[in-house]
Amino acid sequence: MEVSQSKPEGFLPPRSLLVGMAIGAVILFICATVRHWLFQSTALDLGFFDQAIYLISQGEYPRVSFRGFHILGDHAAFLVYPIAIFYKIYPSVYWLFFIQAIALALGAWPTWQLAKQTGLGEKESLTMALVYGLYPLIFNINLFDFHTEVIAVPALLWAVWSARANRWGIFLISLVTILASKAVLSLTVFMLGIWLLIWERKRLMGLITTVAGIAWFIITTKGIIPAFSGEEAAAVGRYSFLGDSVAEIILNLILKPQIVLGMLFTLDNLFYLVLLTAPVIWGIWGKAWAMFIPAIPALFVNLVTDYLPQKDLIHQYSLPILPFLLLVVMTHWYQGSSWLKKPRWIILWTAIAFLALGKYTYFFGRYWHHWGQLANLQAAVSLVQPGDRVLTSPHLAAHLSHRPDLELAIEAEAPFDLNRFDAVLLQTNYAGWENSQGTVEALAHQVSQDSAFTPEYQENEVILYRRAPSIP
């Protein structure tokens, strides 16, 4: 498809879009902050990133203690290093909420640029920016702790725009940002290169992108991740029906198509595709689906697994799909094949989809689960000392992650060796993620029977046990 080439004028967004992005960023930041205040954030993934980035900022080895390996051993997310600069200014988890809110809100800018580049008018382009901002995944992922791939969302949009506009500087910065955000996005980059090479006829950009994608995939999965973690990439276990390593999985994708087809055609996948397309159903009908090619790797890995969090609009796994889905939609709108053509009707549908699928409802229900114990939780957390080696529940871990030694009191880690800890913080009437009430109660009983520990704080079923100082 022919698109207009960029011009120096009109690069910056109009005032209405700037105001909209600012308001959006503030709302996202406030929502993530309130969720954290209410003790709804978790060790995975907020505590995971917060601990590692804090350690980097302090010049220490960034080992995520409750995972047992270097932060790069998870997804080779090198973006944690520049993020640590903010922690140098002041070490606070709220930087992560700020960065995530800004990144997600800024995605409206390249969406507007891409819509104009596609040929849509100013009003229509601003409408597409709103479609992006109110796509339920944008709001929902902001509530799911923190993930470096949120920064890849605007970068992917800028990569497409800059490639079409021959803006090499923006293109290369976008490419590096995407690759540094998560190893698996190298597959998205690889397919982006194929698309640029064949469909957009950007030979040099396409070749560079294709080579960069496949090279980074090999480097990260066969080099960086195993070197820092001592094992295969973290998500390999979700595809164990295809093999125990990345190489074996890729081989069996080719040799055993019957297994793959059996995993693809399921009711869960049908429901996932409905969720994914419902907010933009009005614009998916047409002949511009070649523009969706870069999203195929992310969509495929989501469809072929039986891990249900990869099939919703709550978790991060659909983020690499969104930019190309929007590109398809705006192109169909420009070509006149979309069901809805008037901005007011598109805005109405977008609002309805957000109201139906956005998880703002959590603020009217599940997020208030700890309200009656909120003051107790805050008091107990404040008593934990910076140098303490801590054992605590996942929903409390993100409030205590600025230390090198933090372990999770979850069922998978039992039995617990209390000799390794200075403090044990539990909320005995709440089990939560990857836990059982029995495990929490058994641990509380174990600590209470250990003469080395005494309760420092004990109110309303929130208990902080501290190791008694040794007698010289």
Side-chain angles (χ1 to χ4, degrees), residues 126-157:
L126 288 172
T127 300
M128 281 305 308
L130 184 64
V131 169
Y132 162 86
L134 289 183
Y135 189 85
L137 179 62
I138 296 298
F139 182 84
N140 295 347
I141 189 58
N142 182 69
L143 296 179
F144 180 36
D145 292 345
F146 172 82
H147 301 86
T148 49
E149 55 262 53
V150 298
I151 302 172
V153 174
L156 283 165
L157 291 161

Side-chain angles (χ1 to χ4, degrees), residues 8 26 40 73 80 86 98 126 196 213 222 227 242-243 287 295 297 340 349 382-383 401 408-409 413 430 439 470:
V26 170
Q40 293 297 326
V80 295
F86 293 93
F98 175 78
L126 288 172
L196 290 174
K222 305 306 291 183
L242 286 171
K287 299 179 179 180
L340 299 178
W349 181 263
S382 69
L383 291 173
S401 43
L408 303 184
E413 298 299 323
Y430 181 76
T439 303
S470 57

Side-chain angles (χ1 to χ4, degrees), residues 108-291:
W109 181 7
T111 301
W112 168 75
Q113 280 283 21
L114 269 172
K116 288 203 308 174
Q117 190 183 58
T118 300
L120 293 174
E122 185 66 22
K123 187 176 181 180
E124 290 78 9
S125 299
L126 288 172
T127 300
M128 281 305 308
L130 184 64
V131 169
Y132 162 86
L134 289 183
Y135 189 85
L137 179 62
I138 296 298
F139 182 84
N140 295 347
I141 189 58
N142 182 69
L143 296 179
F144 180 36
D145 292 345
F146 172 82
H147 301 86
T148 49
E149 55 262 53
V150 298
I151 302 172
V153 174
L156 283 165
L157 291 161
W158 278 123
V160 175
W161 178 85
S162 58
R164 286 176 158 183
N166 294 317
R167 294 289 192 93
W168 275 94
I170 296 175
F171 179 76
L172 293 175
I173 292 171
S174 300
L175 212 59
V176 170
T177 301
I178 298 163
L179 294 173
S181 66
K182 194 173 185 179
V184 72
L185 291 184
S186 57
L187 297 177
T188 301
V189 168
F190 170 73
M191 290 304 292
L192 174 63
I194 297 295
W195 176 65
L196 290 174
L197 192 63
I198 298 175
W199 280 271
E200 293 292 310
R201 302 186 187 280
K202 300 287 182 179
R203 291 180 176 83
L204 183 55
M205 282 183 171
L207 183 62
I208 290 172
T209 307
T210 302
V211 172
I214 197 64
W216 191 243
F217 180 77
I218 295 170
I219 291 169
T220 53
T221 59
K222 305 306 291 183
I224 295 172
I225 292 175
F228 283 104
S229 70
E231 56 189 38
E232 287 283 340
V236 164
R238 299 173 194 168
Y239 307 92
S240 57
F241 60 93
L242 286 171
D244 298 323
S245 67
V246 173
E248 191 176 351
I249 289 171
I250 293 173
L251 183 63
N252 284 328
L253 283 173
I254 300 169
L255 298 180
K256 299 179 180 179
Q258 71 279 7
I259 298 178
V260 176
L261 291 175
M263 296 298 294
L264 287 176
F265 294 101
T266 66
L267 287 177
D268 286 335
N269 282 344
L270 177 61
F271 184 63
Y272 171 52
L273 291 175
V274 170
L275 280 178
L276 197 64
T277 57
V280 290
I281 191 74
W282 55 270
I284 67 172
W285 310 101
K287 299 179 179 180
W289 279 99
M291 298 177 185

Side-chain angles (χ1 to χ4, degrees), residues 295-417:
I296 289 176
L299 180 62
F300 180 77
V301 298
N302 290 347
L303 292 175
V304 81
T305 183
D306 57 2
Y307 184 59
L308 291 182
Q310 288 186 223
K311 304 175 191 291
D312 60 32
L313 298 185
I314 300 174
H315 299 85
Q316 71 274 23
Y317 305 104
S318 296
L319 284 173
I321 299 171
L322 179 58
F324 305 100
L325 182 60
L326 292 176
L327 186 60
V328 168
V329 167
M330 66 179 64
T331 304
H332 286 159
W333 191 9
Y334 171 71
Q335 293 175 346
S337 61
S338 62
W339 285 356
L340 299 178
K341 297 178 176 62
K342 297 292 185 181
R344 64 176 178 272
W345 294 116
I346 293 171
I347 292 170
L348 177 61
W349 181 263
T350 299
I352 292 172
F354 177 79
L355 291 174
L357 300 174
K359 299 307 176 183
Y360 58 90
T361 53
Y362 288 175
F363 288 100
F364 306 113
R366 63 186 293 177
Y367 281 174
W368 300 95
H369 182 87
H370 304 300
W371 180 251
Q373 298 168 286
L374 198 59
N376 307 112
L377 291 169
Q378 291 169 341
V381 166
S382 69
L383 291 173
V384 179
Q385 300 303 308
D388 284 344
R389 298 168 298 166
V390 180
L391 175 66
T392 192
S393 302
H395 68 290
L396 305 178
H399 294 263
L400 296 165
S401 43
H402 287 189
R403 65 194 69 247
D405 295 301
L406 175 69
E407 299 294 338
L408 303 184
I410 57 176
E411 194 166 358
E413 298 299 323
F416 302 99
D417 179 8

